[in-house]
């Protein structure tokens, strides 16, 4: 009876060994020259109870060193701002805000593509994500991965990357949550190394209930 688990483990090892990391390495290598990144996106949330995904537009801003901001909705309904150490989750409709450590599992759901994953090359990427499989579909390199952090994996069991190997750009990022729902972020317009306003990573919380 012990033979079956051994066979399964060996099969998984072979599968992982066959993952072609070339396109990932090329994409990560490009990050070395990127100081700022600003992107427009469409976020699709897929729920089992809904026939069609719920789509919401948004914007993302990243500055090398850990600063990151997500704005979801037009007009913005939710904002997440991180300085690499802490993260603020802001609900503009309910006038509520919450601050937490950026290393917490809940916060890391917003910072999957932080400096630790992008700026350490393929080895740094593998420290954050376990690569399961990869395939190319219509010219897009699709990677299936799992977070290595166990507490984060409970919330986000699976992560899917769509990489354009010719442009060395991330086209989409999809996560599967513990309830089997999926959130897919499709980047529609990306701008590199453009000036970012100094106040981009600040938010006036006057009148907000802060926890």
């Amino acid at each position: 009876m012990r033979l079956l688990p051994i066979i399964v483990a060996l099969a998984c090892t072979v599968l992982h060994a066959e993952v072609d990391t070339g396109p990932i390495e090329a994409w990560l290598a490009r990050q070395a020259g990127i100081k700022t990144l600003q992107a427009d996106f469409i976020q699709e949330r897929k729920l089992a109870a809904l026939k069609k995904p719920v789509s919401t537009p948004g914007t993302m801003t990243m500055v090398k060193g850990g600063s990151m901001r997500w704005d979801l909705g037009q007009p913005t309904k939710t904002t997440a701002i991180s300085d690499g150490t802490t993260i603020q989750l802001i609900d503009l409709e309910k006038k509520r805000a919450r601050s937490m450590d950026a290393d917490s599992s809940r916060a890391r759901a917003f910072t999957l593509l932080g400096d630790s994953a992008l700026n350490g090359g393929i080895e740094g990427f593998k420290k954050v994500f376990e690569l399961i499989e990869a395939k190319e579909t219509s010219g897009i390199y699709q990677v299936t991965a799992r977070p290595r952090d166990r507490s984060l994996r409970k919330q986000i069991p699976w992560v899917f990357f769509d990489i354009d190997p010719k442009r060395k750009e991330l086209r989409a990022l999809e996560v599967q949550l513990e309830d089997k729902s999926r959130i897919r972020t499709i980047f529609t317009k990306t701008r590199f190394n453009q000036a970012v306003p100094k106040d981009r990573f600040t938010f006036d919380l006057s009148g907000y209930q802060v926890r």
Side-chain angles (χ1 to χ4, degrees):
M1 295 297 293
R2 294 181 180 179
L3 184 59
L4 182 57
I6 295 174
I7 293 175
V8 172
L10 289 174
C12 291
T13 301
V14 172
L15 178 61
H16 293 186
E18 293 177 350
V19 173
D20 175 16
T21 61
I24 306 177
E25 293 181 55
W27 167 54
L28 292 173
R30 189 184 179 194
Q31 307 309 308
I34 297 176
K35 306 301 181 183
T36 69
L37 185 156
Q38 300 172 77
D40 300 335
F41 63 80
I42 299 294
Q43 190 174 93
E44 297 179 345
R45 181 148 193 166
K46 304 174 184 178
L47 303 171
L50 300 177
K51 293 183 178 180
K52 294 183 178 180
V54 178
S55 298
T56 307
T59 61
M60 180 189 73
T61 305
M62 294 176 62
V63 173
K64 198 167 187 176
S67 296
M68 181 181 298
R69 175 169 176 157
W70 293 79
D71 291 292
L72 191 60
Q74 289 182 354
T76 302
K77 295 182 178 180
T78 304
T79 294
I81 301 176
S82 176
D83 60 5
T85 302
T86 60
I87 185 170
Q88 289 183 321
L89 304 182
I90 305 165
D91 186 326
L92 281 74
E93 290 187 318
K94 296 181 179 180
K95 293 287 185 177
R96 295 177 181 176
R98 181 176 181 179
S99 182
M100 63 186 72
D101 192 289
D103 288 333
S104 67
S105 58
R106 182 175 180 183
R108 288 181 62 189
F110 293 90
T111 58
L112 280 174
L113 295 182
D115 283 355
S116 59
L118 295 185
N119 296 320
I122 189 63
E123 294 306 317
F125 192 79
K126 286 182 176 180
K127 287 181 180 179
V128 179
F129 298 105
E130 178 187 3
L131 303 181
I132 304 301
E133 64 177 358
K135 61 181 179 180
E136 187 170 323
T137 303
S138 300
I140 298 298
Y141 182 75
Q142 300 175 320
V143 181
T144 300
R146 297 193 300 177
R148 289 193 180 276
D149 183 89
R150 291 185 178 181
S151 59
L152 178 58
R153 190 186 295 183
K154 290 181 180 179
Q155 296 184 39
I156 305 176
W158 298 99
V159 184
F160 308 90
F161 300 87
D162 283 11
I163 299 172
D164 185 334
K166 291 184 178 180
R167 298 177 64 88
K168 302 175 184 178
E169 291 182 9
L170 183 67
R171 289 298 183 87
L173 173 69
E174 183 171 344
V175 296
Q176 179 177 303
L177 306 180
E178 58 182 341
D179 62 0
K180 304 299 183 182
S181 65
R182 292 194 177 202
I183 299 176
R184 180 174 176 82
T185 303
I186 305 167
F187 299 101
T188 56
K189 184 178 180 181
T190 306
R191 302 170 295 283
F192 301 100
N193 295 331
Q194 294 186 7
V196 174
K198 293 182 179 180
D199 62 354
R200 184 61 180 154
F201 302 104
T202 60
F203 194 97
D204 184 3
L205 293 175
S206 300
Y208 278 73
Q209 181 182 350
V210 182
R211 291 191 295 167

